[in-house]
Amino acid sequence: MGTVLPTPVVPVPVVSVPVAASPAPVDVPLDAALLVDIAEGLAAASGLIRAVANHDLTGRRPVRLLATARYEAWVIGWTEGQRVEPHDHGPSVGVIAVTEGTLTELHPVDGRLVARQLPTGSVHVVPVGAIHDITNVEGRPATSVHVYSPPLRTMNRYDADTLAPIVTDVIDSEPSALPAAVASVLLHPSRRG
C-alpha cells in the first residue's frame, strides 16, 4: 500500500448574490399610495373612461376595466338617485376616483352614517373593513373609477340603520374590457398629459 497524501485545500471564491425579496402573496393588498396612483392614471384616460361608462337609468352597470392578479379596476356610471347600500370590500383596499359629477359617500361615525362629498377630481381611499355607501344625489350623471387590491372576491352588506351585517356577496369574476398588456401601454405614465 502506498502512502496517502493529504488532499490540498483549494480556496473557493465566495460570491455574494443578493437574494430578491419574495413577492407579496396575491391576497395581500398593494400599498394604498400605489393604488391611488393607479386610480389617478386611469382617471386621466378620460376618453377611455367615457367610452366604457354606462349611465343606465334602470340600474348601475359597472364595467370591469382591467384585472391583474394583484388589483382590478372598475368604471361605474351613476345616474341621479343610484346608490349601493352600506357595504365593505371584504379583504380588499378600495380607491375611488371621481371623473365626472359628484358622489356622496356615507360612512359610519359614532354608529351613524355621515355624508362626505366626492366631487370631480377627488380620490378617496377605502381601507380594508371600512363600511360605506355611495350615492348620486346630484341632478346629473357621475362617473367613478374604483381600484381594488386584492381583486374583489366578497362584499359584506350592512343594515343602514343598525350597521349589522346582513349578507356576504360573492363577486363573480368577469372578463375585463382591457387585457392587462393593452392597459399597461395605454395607461403608461408617459402618456399622461
Side-chain angles (χ1 to χ4, degrees):
M1 288 191 115
T3 308
V4 177
L5 298 172
T7 307
V9 176
V10 177
V12 177
V14 176
V15 177
S16 296
V17 177
V19 177
S22 59
V26 295
D27 60 345
V28 173
L30 293 171
D31 182 72
L34 176 58
L35 297 174
V36 165
D37 189 53
I38 292 167
E40 288 174 338
L42 292 170
S46 57
L48 172 65
I49 301 305
R50 279 193 298 278
V52 299
N54 287 321
H55 293 96
D56 188 333
L57 295 174
T58 63
R60 291 182 320 108
R61 304 278 184 259
V63 174
R64 189 179 196 201
L65 183 63
L66 66 99
T68 73
R70 298 295 309 276
Y71 73 92
E72 67 181 353
W74 295 76
V75 174
I76 304 177
W78 309 75
T79 59
E80 183 178 9
Q82 288 181 342
R83 65 176 293 214
V84 294
E85 56 219 19
H87 65 282
D88 66 26
H89 301 124
S92 300
V93 171
V95 174
I96 303 166
V98 180
T99 63
E100 174 187 22
T102 298
L103 294 171
T104 300
E105 181 195 44
L106 300 172
H107 63 283
V109 174
D110 298 328
R112 61 187 180 84
L113 292 173
V114 175
R116 170 182 17 224
Q117 297 300 306
L118 303 176
T120 298
S122 65
V123 179
H124 176 63
V125 175
V126 182
V128 171
I131 299 170
H132 73 149
D133 182 4
I134 300 284
T135 186
N136 180 4
V137 297
E138 302 293 315
R140 63 187 189 110
T143 305
S144 53
V145 172
H146 300 244
V147 177
Y148 302 104
S149 178
L152 285 179
R153 297 296 172 250
T154 61
M155 289 175 62
N156 301 301
R157 299 201 181 271
Y158 297 84
D159 180 270
D161 296 322
T162 65
L163 297 179
I166 299 171
V167 67
T168 299
D169 295 332
V170 176
I171 309 301
D172 293 328
S173 182
E174 66 179 69
S176 59
L178 293 177
V182 172
S184 67
V185 172
L186 287 176
L187 304 171
H188 191 277
S190 67
R191 292 185 168 270
R192 291 186 197 172

